[in-house]
Amino acid sequence: MPRFSREHSLEYTQLKKNLRKWLRKRDYKSILKFLTKLHPADISELIDNLPEDEEKAQLFSLLDLETASDVMADLSEGSRRAILKDITHDHLTDIVKDLPSDEAADILGVLPKERVERILAAIPPQDSAEVKSLLKYHKETAGGLMQAEVWALPANMTVEDAIEQLRTLAQETEEEFHNIFVINGEKKLLGTVSINKLILSSPEKKLSELMEKPKGVIFVDEDQEEVARKFQKYNLVSAPVVDHNGVLLGRITIDDIVDVIEEETSEDFYRLAGTDVEEIVYGDNIGKIARIRLPWLLTNLFGGLLTGYLMWLFKHTITDAIALIAFIPVITGMGGNLGLQSSTISVRGLAIGKITLHNFKHHLFKEIKVALVVATVCGSTVGIIAFLWHKQPTLGLMVGLAMFCAMSMAVLMGTIMPILLRKLGVDPAVASGPFVTTANDITGILIYMTIATLLLNYLRG
Amino acid sequence: MPRFSREHSLEYTQLKKNLRKWLRKRDYKSILKFLTKLHPADISELIDNLPEDEEKAQLFSLLDLETASDVMADLSEGSRRAILKDITHDHLTDIVKDLPSDEAADILGVLPKERVERILAAIPPQDSAEVKSLLKYHKETAGGLMQAEVWALPANMTVEDAIEQLRTLAQETEEEFHNIFVINGEKKLLGTVSINKLILSSPEKKLSELMEKPKGVIFVDEDQEEVARKFQKYNLVSAPVVDHNGVLLGRITIDDIVDVIEEETSEDFYRLAGTDVEEIVYGDNIGKIARIRLPWLLTNLFGGLLTGYLMWLFKHTITDAIALIAFIPVITGMGGNLGLQSSTISVRGLAIGKITLHNFKHHLFKEIKVALVVATVCGSTVGIIAFLWHKQPTLGLMVGLAMFCAMSMAVLMGTIMPILLRKLGVDPAVASGPFVTTANDITGILIYMTIATLLLNYLRG
């Protein structure tokens, strides 16, 4: 219990502050005294939060083998790369030996081929076969997420024998298994029996009598985002992974899924902001981060210049009626804001499956209705302000009308663009953020300046 | 297995299309034939996707009691409200009786007090006591998430007796329990034993010999976001909830946490876009949705007018050197884009615990270094373009310098604002999106126009 008490957490913050000092001074005694009190997940977090790669590797090298394996499995990709750069062959081999197959494959996946082969040759053949089989799947599919270790037993086995078998299997692993999978002679998945049910059934029953249809079955080539959605929808804790012949290949557990959800969500956030989640991997490499952001920024720079060029084309309108300039920012800005709302709601709706290609029209109509209401309120407000400020009814009318049109256009673009991208197979999140804002600037200026030029004679009057 | 096959999913889409038609025609035979093939989670999804409240209630009324309970537990808040409006007292009482305590409390939590009391009076006293105890906790705390049903057994019980007890307890519930909690005579939590371990231990052992320190203990008043972070960090599947005396009150399982993560993330997305996740609850109520969005939009409308007013103040500078207007959108826009990147990264970093008040300075310096690189590249690019376009070296220099300053300011604001808000106890997500963009428009214009006015003599020359 003390692990989570608030007093502990205060003391913890104090000790955390000393960590970098101790590392600099190589005061390993103090560090080890601090670390022994911690959960491996806390140690992973500490390493992730250390700013320098050398510090990460230094702290990691102090851990005993079992803790090192647990910590390695939990580290962020950036920290992992930092540590793998320095680690010795033997140390890494020991860690890989200690990890479940999915974690081992994740780690080997980022290493050069030659190093992978040396490590695989040094671990027990069965482990190495499991890891090898996982390495062939794409990282972002079910195959990349699953672990090869499963508790699979034949359908004609009795409860008594099954429990006996589990006693042996449980010796080999620290992990928790909540289900056993029931298979036939060809390793095809027939059903699943929860450990709960097994424990509560009479010993002579056969597994085939107890087994149920699994709540969710995952195909090995399914995209991880789809897998995560199944887990959420069907409240799964673990699910079997099969190939297209129904042969059991492994299992995926909910803790991997929580990580996938976080990863996919971060990806959406970063893309909405016009950058990429890759940034996280590069940690403090300023050059790499700048190189990720620059293409987005430069594209928008040309978008901005295009908007400016349009204003330049209308320069006579502007100098003839200078009052116009005071409303440029508010018209383009409000289009941008409303467009960002619409596109974010579309992107998020698509991501969590609330909006589909099927119910999209309903969503679009809703957005249009909302847009008509808010564009009327905002248009009238700005129109009245423009009239009161410059004492020109035409100016007021015109500014209000332009804002109404710009905001309506923005909602259309913001709502439709993400769906269109999804149809084209592009991640909808890239549509939001900067691009929607820039696109709305351009249409906003065009609408405003066109209306102004048409009404110029009345404006001067 | 067939539940997830791809063929099924094609047929499913076809049938889904017919659903609204059947509802209109009251062709309940076709609907029931379709529904019997579905998982409750699929039915919840169908109801959530129906646009009209009446359709939702109509479809729900066709379900048998057991399915209705499962579906009710899974529905979105909006659909749930739609159904609760129409449902009869007896039907609702039966459903509440069938649900685990946390789901029951969630449903009763949105009903008027008088209706809640009538229902609680009609269900078995033990259930009603459990639900009542949950109703007193705030919805977004551990108490609001937990269920009161736990498998808690005394420390001096033997494995054999424990398994015997579980056989009885298991009759009362369909749910899966992966752990039993070990308590003393005062109901204080002493430890936990996994069902796996129980099954594999010799029958005469005492629970006190088997029990382990729980990997995570949750306090009943902890915020749900904090609870979710503990589940993620420590890879928990379920965790006990205790009061501050250590007395066991209930348990939280990972499937509730996955929902919390989705909810909190949606909240951040909506706030980034300058609206609120409440929108989801209101479904198709256009008036309510408009009322949620308008305060944000109107605040930014005045921000936009302020930007315009600043341009108006500098109108002589602009008319004297009309070439200036062509660069207004790109300078304010690029500040806005980079500011959005910085603030989104800060907001997300704070949300997933990657950025803390403790390591914030390091993050700020990194952002500043990135900003210097990208602002230099963008500033030089736009400066060269301005020079080539208008053949004025001073204009090029000035535009480039203004963009460099505006972008650097934007990064400072975008990075610091979320942290500042977190310190003040406000959700950092409100800082991003529209507000950062508007704030950057204002500083961008001020920087550009001030530099332009200072250099006006050279510009005309």
Side-chain angles (χ1 to χ4, degrees):
Chain A
M1 236 130 318
R3 184 162 290 146
F4 285 110
S5 77
R6 272 128 209 234
E7 297 72 40
H8 170 69
S9 134
L10 216 90
E11 187 203 339
Y12 181 58
T13 317
Q14 276 306 319
L15 289 169
K16 230 162 63 175
K17 280 194 187 151
N18 293 327
L19 185 62
R20 294 191 72 191
K21 201 180 64 198
W22 290 334
L23 282 169
R24 237 183 350 262
K25 286 198 205 155
R26 307 190 162 267
D27 177 359
Y28 294 147
K29 218 180 112 193
S30 301
I31 296 179
L32 287 172
K33 209 180 122 200
F34 172 45
L35 292 184
T36 46
K37 288 190 222 157
L38 297 181
H39 188 282
D42 290 313
I43 301 177
S44 301
E45 199 182 64
L46 281 178
I47 293 180
D48 282 341
N49 282 335
L50 282 171
E52 305 292 339
D53 283 2
E54 292 69 34
E55 292 170 329
K56 292 176 200 272
Q58 195 187 354
L59 186 56
F60 185 82
S61 70
L62 298 176
L63 306 174
D64 63 81
L65 184 62
E66 200 189 328
T67 314
S69 307
D70 290 347
V71 167
M72 181 64 105
D74 250 5
L75 283 176
S76 75
E77 219 174 308
S79 304
R80 207 179 262 181
R81 275 171 205 259
I83 289 164
L84 289 175
K85 261 193 309 190
D86 278 338
I87 201 166
T88 65
H89 173 69
D90 289 345
H91 191 186
L92 184 56
T93 307
D94 287 340
I95 289 173
V96 168
K97 219 184 288 177
D98 207 47
L99 284 175
S101 56
D102 57 336
E103 303 287 356
D106 281 353
I107 288 170
L108 296 183
V110 301
L111 292 178
K113 227 177 177 173
E114 183 238 47
R115 212 169 153 195
V116 173
E117 275 163 20
R118 269 176 64 208
I119 293 172
L120 286 179
I123 64 175
Q126 210 217 316
D127 292 356
S128 111
E130 281 175 355
V131 173
K132 244 187 238 164
S133 77
L134 293 183
L135 277 173
K136 66 173 187 258
Y137 300 112
H138 189 282
K139 228 185 102 197
E140 298 193 347
T141 63
L145 284 177
M146 72 180 185
Q147 55 179 100
E149 297 90 342
V150 287
W151 284 2
L153 298 175
N156 56 3
M157 196 176 244
T158 61
V159 169
E160 194 172 11
D161 291 345
I163 292 179
E164 197 48 51
Q165 270 271 271
L166 295 191
R167 274 185 226 270
T168 328
L169 289 170
Q171 314 291 322
E172 295 169 15
T173 175
E174 297 164 44
E175 280 187 89
E176 302 252 319
F177 287 80
H178 305 126
N179 297 293
I180 54 176
F181 299 123
V182 182
I183 52 174
N184 69 9
E186 291 158 316
K187 291 200 71 174
K188 281 196 188 173
L189 179 66
L190 301 176
T192 165
V193 177
S194 75
I195 304 283
N196 278 11
K197 200 164 179 185
L198 196 69
I199 206 177
L200 304 173
S201 301
S202 44
E204 70 282 358
K205 277 214 167 151
K206 291 236 161 87
L207 292 184
S208 54
E209 296 171 68
L210 299 182
M211 74 183 182
E212 289 170 359
K213 226 157 101 173
K215 265 163 69 188
V217 175
I218 312 284
F219 289 105
V220 70
D221 56 359
E222 267 182 87
D223 184 81
Q224 63 173 5
E225 215 170 337
E226 210 177 311
V227 176
R229 224 174 291 160
K230 274 189 193 170
F231 265 79
Q232 281 179 274
K233 187 168 162 187
Y234 299 101
N235 287 332
L236 305 176
V237 172
S238 82
V241 180
V242 298
D243 67 14
H244 285 276
N245 296 318
V247 172
L248 181 68
L249 298 175
R251 64 161 191 161
I252 296 178
T253 48
I254 181 88
D255 52 315
D256 299 315
I257 295 302
V258 172
D259 294 342
V260 169
I261 295 174
E262 191 176 294
E263 206 181 297
E264 296 280 347
T265 312
S266 286
E267 200 173 281
D268 281 355
F269 267 104
Y270 275 68
R271 290 209 172 141
L272 270 172
T275 177
D276 197 277
V277 74
E278 281 266 299
E279 270 204 19
I280 295 178
V281 180
Y282 292 120
D284 288 327
N285 191 329
I286 306 298
K288 291 251 187 191
I289 294 177
R291 233 172 295 161
I292 293 172
R293 290 199 202 172
L294 272 171
W296 301 82
L297 289 170
L298 289 174
T299 315
N300 282 290
L301 191 145
F302 287 100
L305 281 173
L306 181 58
T307 318
Y309 180 68
L310 291 172
M311 280 170 66
W312 174 251
L313 290 182
F314 287 103
K315 60 180 180 292
H316 299 300
T317 308
I318 295 172
T319 41
D320 281 358
I322 189 72
L324 288 172
I325 57 160
F327 301 98
I328 292 174
V330 80
I331 286 172
T332 55
M334 293 305 282
N337 287 332
L338 191 59
L340 185 66
Q341 289 182 343
S342 298
S343 61
T344 303
I345 288 166
S346 289
V347 167
R348 183 68 185 154
L350 285 166
I352 63 176
K354 213 181 124 64
I355 299 172
T356 59
L357 295 178
H358 184 231
N359 72 5
F360 161 62
K361 247 190 273 165
H362 176 75
H363 171 68
L364 179 63
F365 284 133
K366 193 189 89 182
E367 278 295 316
I368 291 176
K369 281 185 259 175
V370 174
L372 293 181
V373 176
V374 297
T376 307
V377 176
C378 293
S380 324
T381 309
V382 84
I384 292 169
I385 291 172
F387 165 62
L388 293 177
W389 181 3
H390 292 281
K391 306 279 181 285
Q392 291 193 49
T394 321
L395 183 75
L397 197 72
M398 194 229 114
V399 168
L401 183 67
M403 177 168 287
F404 179 85
C405 297
M407 288 179 83
S408 306
M409 272 302 293
V411 163
L412 281 182
M413 285 205 295
T415 311
I416 294 173
M417 225 163 21
I419 314 276
L420 212 69
L421 286 181
R422 164 65 60 97
K423 273 211 168 170
L424 297 172
V426 180
D427 181 344
V430 299
S432 290
F435 283 132
V436 166
T437 311
T438 305
N440 283 323
D441 279 356
I442 295 173
T443 53
I445 287 285
L446 271 181
I447 291 170
Y448 183 46
M449 284 298 152
T450 309
I451 298 181
T453 309
L454 291 174
L455 297 180
L456 196 57
N457 289 322
Y458 304 95
L459 284 177
R460 267 184 294 197
Chain B
M1 236 129 320
R3 182 161 291 147
F4 286 109
S5 78
R6 272 129 208 232
E7 298 73 35
H8 170 69
S9 135
L10 216 90
E11 188 203 339
Y12 181 59
T13 317
Q14 278 305 319
L15 289 169
K16 230 162 61 172
K17 279 194 188 151
N18 293 329
L19 185 62
R20 292 190 72 190
K21 200 180 62 197
W22 290 332
L23 281 170
R24 236 181 353 260
K25 287 198 206 155
R26 304 189 164 271
D27 177 1
Y28 293 148
K29 218 180 111 195
S30 302
I31 295 178
L32 286 171
K33 209 179 123 202
F34 173 44
L35 292 185
T36 47
K37 287 190 224 157
L38 297 181
H39 187 282
D42 291 313
I43 302 178
S44 302
E45 197 182 66
L46 281 178
I47 294 181
D48 282 341
N49 282 335
L50 282 171
E52 306 292 339
D53 282 2
E54 292 68 34
E55 293 171 329
K56 292 175 201 272
Q58 196 187 355
L59 187 57
F60 186 80
S61 70
L62 299 175
L63 305 174
D64 64 78
L65 184 62
E66 201 189 329
T67 314
S69 306
D70 288 348
V71 167
M72 182 62 107
D74 250 5
L75 284 176
S76 74
E77 219 176 306
S79 305
R80 204 179 266 181
R81 275 171 205 263
I83 288 164
L84 289 176
K85 261 194 309 193
D86 279 337
I87 201 165
T88 66
H89 174 68
D90 288 345
H91 192 185
L92 184 56
T93 307
D94 286 340
I95 289 173
V96 169
K97 219 185 285 178
D98 208 50
L99 283 174
S101 56
D102 56 336
E103 303 288 356
D106 280 354
I107 288 170
L108 296 183
V110 302
L111 293 178
K113 226 176 176 173
E114 183 238 45
R115 213 168 152 197
V116 173
E117 275 163 21
R118 268 178 63 208
I119 294 172
L120 285 180
I123 64 175
Q126 211 218 315
D127 291 358
S128 109
E130 280 175 355
V131 174
K132 245 186 239 164
S133 78
L134 293 183
L135 277 173
K136 65 173 192 257
Y137 300 112
H138 188 280
K139 229 186 100 197
E140 297 192 347
T141 64
L145 284 177
M146 72 180 184
Q147 55 179 102
E149 297 90 343
V150 287
W151 284 1
L153 298 175
N156 55 4
M157 197 176 243
T158 61
V159 169
E160 193 171 12
D161 292 343
I163 291 178
E164 197 49 51
Q165 270 271 271
L166 295 191
R167 274 187 224 270
T168 328
L169 289 170
Q171 314 291 323
E172 297 168 16
T173 175
E174 295 165 45
E175 280 187 273
E176 302 251 319
F177 286 80
H178 305 125
N179 297 294
I180 53 175
F181 298 123
V182 182
I183 52 174
N184 68 11
E186 294 158 312
K187 292 198 72 175
K188 280 195 189 173
L189 178 67
L190 299 177
T192 165
V193 178
S194 76
I195 303 284
N196 278 13
K197 200 163 180 185
L198 196 69
I199 206 177
L200 304 173
S201 300
S202 44
E204 69 284 355
K205 275 212 170 159
K206 291 236 160 89
L207 293 184
S208 54
E209 297 169 69
L210 299 181
M211 73 184 181
E212 288 170 1
K213 226 157 104 173
K215 264 163 71 188
V217 175
I218 313 283
F219 290 104
V220 71
D221 57 359
E222 266 182 89
D223 184 80
Q224 65 174 3
E225 213 170 335
E226 210 177 310
V227 176
R229 221 172 295 159
K230 274 188 192 171
F231 265 80
Q232 281 178 274
K233 187 167 163 187
Y234 298 102
N235 287 331
L236 306 176
V237 172
S238 82
V241 180
V242 296
D243 67 13
H244 285 276
N245 297 318
V247 172
L248 181 68
L249 299 174
R251 65 161 191 163
I252 295 178
T253 48
I254 182 87
D255 51 314
D256 300 314
I257 294 302
V258 172
D259 295 341
V260 169
I261 294 174
E262 192 176 292
E263 206 182 296
E264 297 278 347
T265 312
S266 285
E267 202 174 280
D268 281 355
F269 266 105
Y270 276 68
R271 291 210 173 140
L272 269 172
T275 178
D276 196 280
V277 73
E278 282 267 300
E279 271 203 18
I280 296 179
V281 180
Y282 292 120
D284 287 328
N285 190 329
I286 306 298
K288 292 251 186 190
I289 295 177
R291 232 171 298 160
I292 293 173
R293 290 199 203 173
L294 273 172
W296 301 81
L297 289 170
L298 289 175
T299 315
N300 282 290
L301 190 145
F302 287 100
L305 282 173
L306 180 59
T307 318
Y309 179 67
L310 290 173
M311 279 170 67
W312 174 252
L313 290 182
F314 286 102
K315 60 181 178 293
H316 299 300
T317 308
I318 295 173
T319 40
D320 280 0
I322 190 72
L324 289 172
I325 59 160
F327 301 98
I328 291 174
V330 79
I331 286 172
T332 56
M334 293 305 282
N337 287 333
L338 191 58
L340 186 66
Q341 290 181 343
S342 298
S343 60
T344 304
I345 289 166
S346 289
V347 167
R348 183 69 185 152
L350 284 167
I352 62 176
K354 214 182 122 65
I355 299 173
T356 58
L357 296 178
H358 184 229
N359 71 6
F360 160 62
K361 247 188 271 166
H362 177 74
H363 171 67
L364 178 64
F365 283 132
K366 192 189 89 183
E367 278 297 316
I368 292 176
K369 281 185 259 175
V370 174
L372 293 181
V373 176
V374 298
T376 306
V377 176
C378 294
S380 325
T381 310
V382 84
I384 291 168
I385 292 172
F387 164 63
L388 292 177
W389 182 359
H390 293 279
K391 306 280 183 282
Q392 290 192 47
T394 320
L395 184 75
L397 199 72
M398 194 230 113
V399 168
L401 184 67
M403 176 166 288
F404 179 85
C405 296
M407 288 179 82
S408 305
M409 271 301 293
V411 163
L412 281 183
M413 284 203 297
T415 311
I416 294 174
M417 223 157 30
I419 314 274
L420 214 69
L421 286 180
R422 165 63 60 95
K423 272 210 170 173
L424 296 172
V426 180
D427 181 347
V430 299
S432 289
F435 283 132
V436 166
T437 312
T438 305
N440 284 323
D441 279 357
I442 295 174
T443 52
I445 287 286
L446 271 181
I447 291 169
Y448 183 47
M449 285 299 153
T450 309
I451 298 180
T453 310
L454 290 174
L455 297 180
L456 196 57
N457 289 323
Y458 303 96
L459 285 177
R460 270 184 293 195

